[in-house]
Amino acid sequence: MSAAEQARADLTALAALATRVATEHAADVARLAELLTADRNRNPSRYAVVLVSEGARLSSHGDMSFESEETDMYGHRKLGGIGDQIGAALKEASPTYNQGRRIDVVNQRLGYLVRSGDPDALDSIVPMAFGNLALDLIRKKEYGRLVSIHRGFYDSVPLTRVTSDKKVVNVGKYYNTDRLRPIYEFDGAPLFIMTSD
C-alpha cells in the first residue's frame, strides 16, 4: 500500500471515529479485546469501534482471510471474511477483560454501505475530469498510463506504477502496533484525502 493509500485508510479510521484499527499487522486478539473493553468502559455510551482492514490478520492465524480460491487476471485472490473472524474472536475473548461478562459484538461490512452514500461535488467532478484526461491520453496516443491526482494536481502515471509489485502497508511507519492505532501525521498532509504524492 502506498503512502497515499495508507493516509486514506488512516483518515477513514479518524472519520469513522474508530477507537482501534486492525490493519495488515498481525493483531493479537487478546490485546485488541483488552484495549476495546477499556475503550468501551470509558465511553459513557458503552461502546467501542474497531475498523478492520480487508488485509488484516490475526496472530493466531498464519495468513490473510480470502473469500474463495478464485483469482483475478493477475492471480490475486479476493480478500474477505476477516471482520467476521475478528468479531467472533473478540466476543469470545471479552469475558477475560470484562469481569467475566461477554460483550456483544456487532459486525458490519461497510463496503457497499459506505460506497452508497450521496455523492458530493468532488464525487461528480473528479470522475468527469479523469474521463476527459483518459480521452486526451488516447487522442495523444499515450498508452499504458493511468490518470491520477499527484500533489493536488491532475496528472497521469505509467500503469506499471500500480501493477509492478504488490503494495503493502509500511506498518512501522504508519501504525502503532501496541496501541492498535494509526499514526496520524497532519503536518504537510494534503487537505483532501484524494490527493496523493
Side-chain angles (χ1 to χ4, degrees):
M1 182 178 284
S2 70
E5 290 167 323
Q6 182 61 44
R8 282 190 289 276
D10 293 348
L11 291 173
T12 301
L14 180 64
L17 303 176
T19 50
R20 304 293 164 179
V21 177
T23 187
E24 280 74 0
H25 170 72
D28 176 50
V29 172
R31 177 69 175 149
L32 184 56
E34 177 185 16
L35 291 168
L36 283 170
T37 302
D39 294 339
R40 177 185 174 271
N41 291 337
R42 277 193 302 273
N43 185 327
S45 297
R46 307 287 286 170
Y47 74 88
V49 176
V50 60
L51 183 71
V52 179
S53 166
E54 287 179 332
R57 293 181 292 130
L58 294 172
S59 56
S60 58
H61 297 59
D63 200 5
M64 292 181 181
S65 179
F66 297 96
E67 281 188 354
S68 69
E69 295 297 317
E70 189 176 329
T71 61
D72 64 15
M73 59 192 264
Y74 298 104
H76 303 124
R77 290 168 52 203
K78 185 174 182 179
L79 294 169
I82 189 63
D84 298 328
Q85 292 176 25
I86 288 180
L90 286 172
K91 188 173 185 176
E92 194 65 33
S94 65
T96 304
Y97 305 99
N98 194 43
Q99 301 171 349
R101 293 188 313 268
R102 179 169 282 168
I103 296 173
D104 287 329
V105 174
V106 176
N107 181 26
Q108 175 67 54
R109 292 182 183 210
L110 294 178
Y112 294 108
L113 180 65
V114 170
R115 293 181 189 116
S116 298
D118 291 332
D120 62 15
L122 289 176
D123 293 329
S124 299
I125 295 167
V126 173
M128 181 185 64
F130 275 9
N132 281 286
L133 290 166
L135 288 172
D136 289 344
L137 289 171
I138 293 168
R139 196 183 78 246
K140 293 188 263 184
K141 297 185 185 325
E142 293 183 28
Y143 306 114
R145 297 195 64 79
L146 176 74
V147 293
S148 66
I149 295 179
H150 182 75
R151 299 190 186 274
F153 295 92
Y154 289 107
D155 197 359
S156 68
V157 296
L159 192 57
T160 55
R161 188 155 186 200
V162 294
T163 61
S164 61
D165 57 1
K166 184 177 180 179
K167 311 296 189 265
V168 295
V169 173
N170 182 338
V171 173
K173 183 175 180 181
Y174 297 109
Y175 189 68
N176 183 323
T177 57
D178 182 51
R179 297 186 66 218
L180 299 175
R181 289 190 173 153
I183 297 170
Y184 296 109
E185 293 181 5
F186 293 103
D187 188 28
L191 174 62
F192 297 111
I193 60 173
M194 55 175 255
T195 28
S196 63
D197 53 359

